[in-house]
Amino acid sequence: MGQYKLLIDGQLVDGDSTMSVLNPANEEVLAECPRASKAQLDQAVAAAKKAFPGWSATPIDERRKALLAMADAIQNDLQNLARTLTQEQGKPLQDAMGEVFGAAAFFRYFSTLDLKEKVIEDTEARKVVSRRRPLGVVGAIVPWNFPLILMAFKVPAALLAGNTVVLKPAATTPLSTLRIAELVKDILPPGVLNVIADANDLGGAITAHPDIRKVSFTGSTETGKKVMAGAAEALKRVTLELGGNDAAIVLDGNDPKETAPKIFAGAFQNSGQVCIAIKRAYVHESIYDAMCDELAKLADAAVVGDGLQQGVTMGPLQNKAQFEKVLGYIESAKADGKVIAGGARATEKGYFIQPTIVRDITDGARLVDEEQFGPVLPVIKIKDGEDALARANASSYGLGGSIWSKDLDKAMDLAGRMDTGTVWINKHADLAPNIPFGGAKLSGIGNELGEEGLAEFTQQHVINMARA
Ligand code: NAD
């Protein structure tokens, strides 16, 4: 493991203290990581503030070139970054490579966008145009499940729009992000991108910082509420991408052998630690038993282990707190339903849990109503799509959801009434940089990705000129 540094004002610097980052596959110390103090956060914000006038005045073509250079820098270090990501986050190496590659692709995507002036009215009476101005310093706060791809939802959009950034990864997964800081240090003018690491203690200071104009936050709903409260005093903009409890509604007519592997993938990718994972499967009574059996077979066949080992399909939970939380959900599910695969930790060492399928469980059970964020899926029997939709919509979350049916008209009808930010049909969790993404209800406020996501890093600016 290399030496890691913070990036503040164009300089790679030590933290005022250090902290240990663990490998969740063996619970051993992976690396010592710099830990920023509040004073270093203030330095990072001051550097970003100082860099803002220059960067926001830089022609957009130059900013585009910088994003492309950053994409190249990330992609050229793919092997190394992916290895670090697997070691700190836990996901299988192949998936880590996909995440690194995806992060580079998101930088490239944002480099193709524009902030065009829009003529709203051009008449004898007046000319009215709307432009998009950058906001200033953006605070970007990222969780531990997808440190790089979620960073790439935020940083390239913020930079393209002309903002400067203070980026903070999660305390348990800072290393790959700090490595990127090192890789891109010389691409941007000093202070345009600052990267700090904390021990889960500087988020509040970022949110409340008077010189930060916007907070782009991805994480849990509970922390999201704190971000919103912290941002209220200065009325700063927030984008909140929060928790979810995505339902997959599987209607009659599905072939369990064909559909179960897709449901399984949607639920168990990244060991279930995906905001838009399938977290409850509502399955029609006519295929319920067969779907449960197929899902259990897939769970039994999963190869759980250290993500660096060849052939492993599922890594550990990322951290001890999450590991214990998910084991708690499994214990409560044993009383609320029937465990037909998994149901326990997988090894003595490391935060491994066997992929777990629970049947004969229904709404009202903790595992169904709450966000488990781990490799355990409740399968709930339904009579029809209306019944399932009502249950899906009863959740206080509204991130994503999916309808699985051969009858596409019926699927479209149900999808149109699902109270979530995204609904997929016959697939789940298909994200792309050009498709806006955001949550309804307790799953968040605002959007990321696409032109809509870019717009959230800007202030609409109207110029209204008299003609006569
Ligand atoms: P978390 O809320 O505990 O932490 C997220 C980040 O917020 C970390 O960087 C943390 O250090 C920081 N933080 C902690 N306290 C803070 C405070 N008071 N103010 C500001 N920031 C603070 O979330 P987590 O446990 O790391 O991530 C898992 C959660 O994230 C799940 O609920 C998951 O569904 C959600 N998530 C949502 C999306 C989405 O796009 N909607 C994507 C991924 C994860």
Side-chain angles (χ1 to χ4, degrees):
M1 282 282 129
Q3 285 286 310
Y4 294 92
K5 304 272 187 191
L6 309 176
L7 177 62
I8 299 176
D9 204 8
Q11 301 295 316
L12 294 173
V13 298
D14 289 327
D16 279 345
S17 60
T18 61
M19 58 187 188
S20 299
V21 175
L22 301 186
N23 180 340
N26 56 25
E27 301 174 57
E28 285 167 12
V29 174
L30 175 62
E32 287 302 316
C33 174
R35 176 180 170 187
S37 61
K38 168 74 169 58
Q40 287 182 305
L41 166 64
D42 290 341
Q43 286 164 18
V45 177
K49 188 177 178 188
K50 189 176 68 182
F52 176 68
W55 182 246
S56 56
T58 301
I60 193 164
D61 274 344
E62 293 299 312
R63 302 203 294 257
R64 284 202 177 95
K65 279 187 201 148
L67 294 192
L68 287 173
M70 291 169 87
D72 287 344
I74 293 169
Q75 204 166 320
N76 291 341
D77 198 50
L78 191 141
Q79 300 290 342
N80 194 10
L81 276 170
R83 215 180 144 76
T84 303
L85 184 56
T86 291
Q87 287 176 297
E88 67 175 345
Q89 203 284 330
K91 66 189 65 186
L93 188 60
Q94 206 57 29
D95 295 351
M97 285 168 69
E99 181 170 346
V100 176
F101 189 81
F106 278 42
F107 274 77
R108 280 187 223 291
Y109 164 74
F110 279 108
S111 79
T112 67
L113 294 190
D114 214 343
L115 292 161
K116 283 205 189 87
E117 179 177 286
K118 191 168 142 200
V119 180
I120 295 171
E121 188 177 321
D122 192 359
T123 60
E124 281 182 11
R126 62 192 172 195
K127 178 166 183 183
V128 187
V129 297
S130 160
R131 294 180 180 160
R132 291 281 173 182
R133 287 166 62 82
L135 294 165
V137 180
V138 168
I141 303 177
V142 180
W144 44 257
N145 58 338
F146 287 94
L148 299 188
I149 204 80
L150 294 172
M151 172 279 291
F153 277 38
K154 305 177 188 307
V155 171
L159 294 178
L160 182 79
N163 303 286
T164 54
V165 175
V166 175
L167 166 66
K168 190 195 85 58
T172 52
T173 54
L175 303 178
S176 49
T177 308
L178 293 176
R179 171 74 182 144
I180 288 181
E182 191 186 329
L183 293 170
V184 305
K185 164 179 108 57
D186 295 324
I187 295 172
L188 297 163
V192 170
L193 174 65
N194 305 273
V195 185
I196 60 161
D198 73 339
N200 211 14
D201 56 344
L202 290 179
I206 292 176
T207 304
H209 203 292
D211 288 332
I212 289 183
R213 296 304 314 143
K214 180 196 165 97
V215 178
S216 178
F217 173 84
T218 304
S220 64
T221 296
E222 283 320 302
T223 312
K225 289 179 188 173
K226 290 187 197 155
V227 170
M228 199 162 171
E233 181 58 30
L235 217 69
K236 66 186 59 159
R237 272 72 176 147
V238 288
T239 300
L240 303 175
E241 296 286 3
L242 309 177
N245 193 9
D246 285 17
I249 299 179
V250 185
L251 300 179
D252 52 342
N254 273 282
D255 173 355
K257 282 209 184 310
E258 191 189 307
T259 308
K262 296 176 189 167
I263 299 286
F264 187 82
F268 289 90
Q269 198 218 344
N270 210 34
S271 299
Q273 303 164 114
V274 185
C275 55
I276 45 171
I278 296 173
K279 296 190 177 126
R280 34 187 186 142
Y282 289 99
V283 177
H284 191 266
E285 56 190 8
S286 62
I287 50 169
Y288 184 77
D289 289 340
M291 276 292 288
C292 288
D293 291 349
E294 288 300 321
L295 288 167
K297 267 191 231 161
L298 292 160
D300 289 341
V303 184
V304 179
D306 184 330
L308 286 186
Q309 278 168 16
Q310 272 217 332
V312 162
T313 58
M314 200 177 299
L317 278 285
Q318 198 281 318
N319 57 71
K320 190 164 191 230
Q322 190 61 25
F323 173 68
E324 287 172 351
K325 195 170 149 190
V326 174
L327 286 176
Y329 278 112
I330 291 177
E331 278 318 303
S332 72
K334 285 179 179 166
D336 295 329
K338 187 171 168 207
V339 174
I340 53 169
R345 73 180 297 176
T347 51
E348 283 285 294
K349 216 152 172 50
Y351 306 134
F352 296 101
I353 293 181
Q354 296 168 354
T356 300
I357 306 289
V358 185
R359 61 168 287 167
D360 303 331
I361 188 166
T362 193
D363 300 72
R366 278 185 64 213
L367 180 62
V368 179
D369 291 358
E370 297 176 17
E371 182 187 39
Q372 68 274 43
F373 215 62
V376 44
L377 178 70
V379 189
I380 305 129
K381 192 188 282 185
I382 54 160
K383 290 208 169 311
D384 57 40
E386 293 299 332
D387 168 31
L389 184 68
R391 298 197 218 184
N393 281 346
S395 173
S396 50
Y397 289 113
L399 195 55
S402 54
I403 313 285
W404 300 73
S405 176
K406 303 255 187 255
D407 180 344
L408 296 185
D409 290 338
K410 190 170 180 182
M412 277 301 280
D413 171 51
L414 289 170
R417 290 182 287 132
M418 191 179 258
D419 195 2
T420 56
T422 303
V423 190
W424 292 277
I425 294 178
N426 295 331
K427 58 182 176 177
H428 200 101
D430 175 22
L431 283 186
N434 60 329
I435 303 174
F437 172 69
K441 299 190 277 185
L442 288 188
S443 291
I445 291 182
N447 278 287
E448 292 189 293
L449 306 182
E451 292 181 349
E452 292 80 355
L454 176 63
E456 294 210 10
F457 286 102
T458 65
Q459 170 68 48
Q460 171 154 284
H461 192 230
V462 172
I463 302 178
N464 186 336
M465 178 172 68
R467 281 289 196 202

